[in-house]
Amino acid sequence: MNVLLLGSGGREHALAWALSASPLLTKLFCAPGNAGIADVAQCIPIDPTNQDSIIQFCRDERIQLVVIGPEAPLVAGLGDALGAAGIRYFGPTKSAARLEGSKGFTKDLCRTAGIPTAAYGRFMDPQAAKTYLAAQSLPIVVKADGLAAGKGVIIATTREEAEAAVDACLSGAFGSAGAEVVIEEFLEGEEASFFALCDGVHALPLVSAQDHKRVGDGDTGPNTGGMGAYSPAPIITPEMSDRVMREIIEPTIKEMAARGTPFKGVLFAGLMITSSGPKLIEYNVRFGDPETQVLMMRLKSDLLAALIATTDGVLSNFDLRWSDDAALTVVMAANGYPGTPQKGTEIKGLELAQATPNVEIFHAGTRRDGARLIADGGRVLNVTGRGKTIAEARDAAYAAIAKIDWPGGFYRKDIGWRALQRNET
């Protein structure tokens, strides 16, 4: 079958890499793709938010499945447009994508369905928000309600910081995403990423992963889209996975179906594992980045078959097989990230690095200039290792990084430290 994958990041390269191995695949296209994706798919210059162009391309190329990578097209209703055009797609409808598109919507759903999460308030009026803040303990979390490219979350340690965050959100610092603000209790614990394929009725969990959000070693500095990840996450034991499914994922699927907006696609729960158990921080309605890179390294099943089973509503008869190996990815980012990244610098030595045993390099923000590979984003490369343990996977990834000549970039040196500290490698 012909498949169209939408997106241009490291997540999409990892998905393209896995999809390209499927015996069900005839031809894989990616819009718009990047220099690495071009090795496994035909890249086409179409914006994933341009619904008309995507539908026309699907008709021209007889696309039988569209896999929507990023969240923005989903929240904007691309799935609905494809469905109306009779084109099969992987991902939720616009109404179901509200689980990511509106943090307030998700918090209210948690309250209705009894899903454990932080205490919260929703506000459109700055004075009402500040009155609520005055009665809360610190630190406290202030979030723009809508999509803010991962930048609309502020952890405030003082009342002044919290009030400034409210003012920033409601005055337009995050555009329309900040038209409403959600103020949440600060949760203590360890974060983890949990993914489940959902067909509207059934949910099938994937293996666990954990990412590193802060830009600097020791989890210091500003938050980013993710500087690295590893799988499995030792904190997600089989017992904890069962609790997450029972207390968080399954009640969400049941509530969404009861509302007439069944969720189909991949549900990505950002969790805090607290002393009293798992609590939902937020939902995303697409694969995570950079968690997808380590998940695809461990997946033994046919990804395309899994996505079709999800789309066709037959997950109850489907199972996934995973490698017992661990995987770890290190993000190489352009200098200046997560602020203004320095674009246009040349990356050398990638062929040598890719020859490192048990390593795959997924491109996140690259382009070709003739024979030269050029950095063209904030997060640029995901150097991903595999091994019997997290320590072995880490060593493979860093051995490959040592062969890359890129003065215009940087990376964290301590990816996986939590797992290694637990001696559960």
Side-chain angles (χ1 to χ4, degrees):
M1 61 193 300
N2 292 339
V3 175
L4 172 62
L5 171 66
L6 301 180
S8 62
R11 164 185 55 215
E12 285 77 31
H13 190 181
L15 292 172
W17 176 75
L19 288 169
S20 69
S22 172
L24 302 175
L25 183 72
T26 303
K27 188 164 186 178
L28 179 62
F29 299 89
C30 187
N34 63 37
I37 294 173
D39 292 336
V40 292
Q42 181 178 331
C43 294
I44 53 172
I46 297 178
D47 184 335
T49 63
N50 188 329
Q51 297 184 3
D52 291 341
S53 294
I54 290 165
I55 290 169
Q56 189 58 54
F57 180 84
C58 290
R59 288 173 173 155
D60 292 344
E61 297 294 337
R62 298 182 181 178
I63 298 297
Q64 291 156 287
L65 181 69
V66 179
V67 180
I68 306 169
E71 62 275 14
L74 290 165
V75 172
L78 175 59
D80 304 72
L82 289 167
I87 299 165
R88 186 161 54 171
Y89 65 96
F90 175 84
T93 60
K94 182 176 183 176
S95 56
R98 291 188 70 196
L99 285 170
E100 179 166 2
S102 171
K103 295 177 179 65
F105 171 85
T106 295
K107 298 297 285 189
D108 288 352
L109 181 138
C110 287
R111 179 182 285 168
T112 300
I115 294 166
T117 189
Y120 74 103
R122 298 177 67 177
F123 305 94
M124 299 180 75
D125 174 64
Q127 194 50 55
K130 291 172 185 178
T131 300
Y132 178 84
L133 278 172
Q136 307 305 310
S137 58
L138 296 169
I140 198 158
V141 184
V142 180
K143 298 179 175 179
D145 178 72
L147 297 182
K151 297 176 182 176
V153 178
I154 300 99
I155 300 172
T157 55
T158 67
R159 199 80 58 208
E160 292 75 22
E161 284 179 358
E163 291 188 357
V166 167
D167 287 336
C169 282
L170 295 178
S171 65
F174 304 107
S176 60
E180 183 175 346
V181 68
V182 177
I183 300 174
E184 289 186 1
E185 163 197 16
F186 178 79
L187 295 176
E188 295 278 1
E190 188 171 333
E191 288 190 50
S193 302
F194 193 95
F195 299 85
L197 294 177
C198 308
D199 66 5
V201 177
H202 304 283
L204 180 64
L206 311 188
V207 288
S208 64
Q210 201 159 20
D211 76 336
H212 295 261
K213 281 281 187 280
R214 301 222 176 238
V215 73
D217 288 357
D219 292 328
T220 57
N223 271 329
T224 72
M227 292 300 293
Y230 53 91
S231 176
I235 196 165
I236 302 293
T237 61
E239 295 75 21
M240 184 61 71
S241 179
D242 288 345
R243 282 194 67 179
V244 172
M245 289 295 292
R246 186 173 65 250
E247 298 175 21
I248 296 176
I249 303 295
E250 289 170 357
T252 300
I253 298 304
K254 186 176 180 180
E255 177 64 22
M256 291 296 284
R259 294 181 179 202
T261 56
F263 185 91
K264 283 190 175 187
V266 61
L267 196 54
F268 167 12
L271 303 175
M272 185 68 76
I273 309 302
T274 72
S275 57
S276 61
K279 292 192 176 185
L280 180 70
I281 300 172
E282 64 183 13
Y283 271 133
N284 297 303
V285 297
R286 36 71 188 179
F287 284 103
D289 192 344
E291 295 95 338
T292 302
Q293 290 80 315
V294 292
L295 295 180
M296 293 304 105
M297 287 286 274
R298 296 188 60 206
L299 181 64
K300 294 172 71 175
S301 297
D302 182 342
L303 176 63
L304 183 51
L307 302 188
I308 293 168
T310 304
T311 301
D312 290 353
V314 293
L315 273 183
S316 60
N317 302 317
F318 201 84
D319 200 10
L320 290 171
R321 293 177 298 112
W322 300 91
S323 168
D324 291 333
D325 283 354
L328 181 145
T329 191
V330 181
V331 171
M332 299 188 75
N335 291 338
Y337 181 79
T340 304
Q342 180 186 355
K343 295 184 181 182
T345 55
E346 185 177 1
I347 304 165
K348 298 179 181 177
L350 214 59
E351 294 79 7
L352 188 63
Q354 285 174 327
T356 307
N358 300 313
V359 164
E360 292 290 339
I361 299 176
F362 300 115
H363 293 228
T366 62
R367 63 179 173 84
R368 289 282 179 193
D369 180 11
R372 301 164 70 234
L373 183 67
I374 304 298
D376 195 37
R379 293 183 294 171
V380 175
L381 296 171
N382 307 141
V383 183
T384 311
R386 182 168 44 208
K388 285 188 169 58
T389 64
I390 289 173
E392 281 188 19
R394 174 204 58 188
D395 291 348
Y398 282 112
I401 286 174
K403 300 170 186 175
I404 297 174
D405 177 12
W406 183 32
F410 72 97
Y411 57 94
R412 280 185 55 166
K413 315 296 192 298
D414 65 343
I415 301 301
W417 71 266
R418 281 188 187 275
L420 297 168
Q421 199 172 63
R422 287 171 175 267
N423 293 318
E424 293 184 35
T425 58

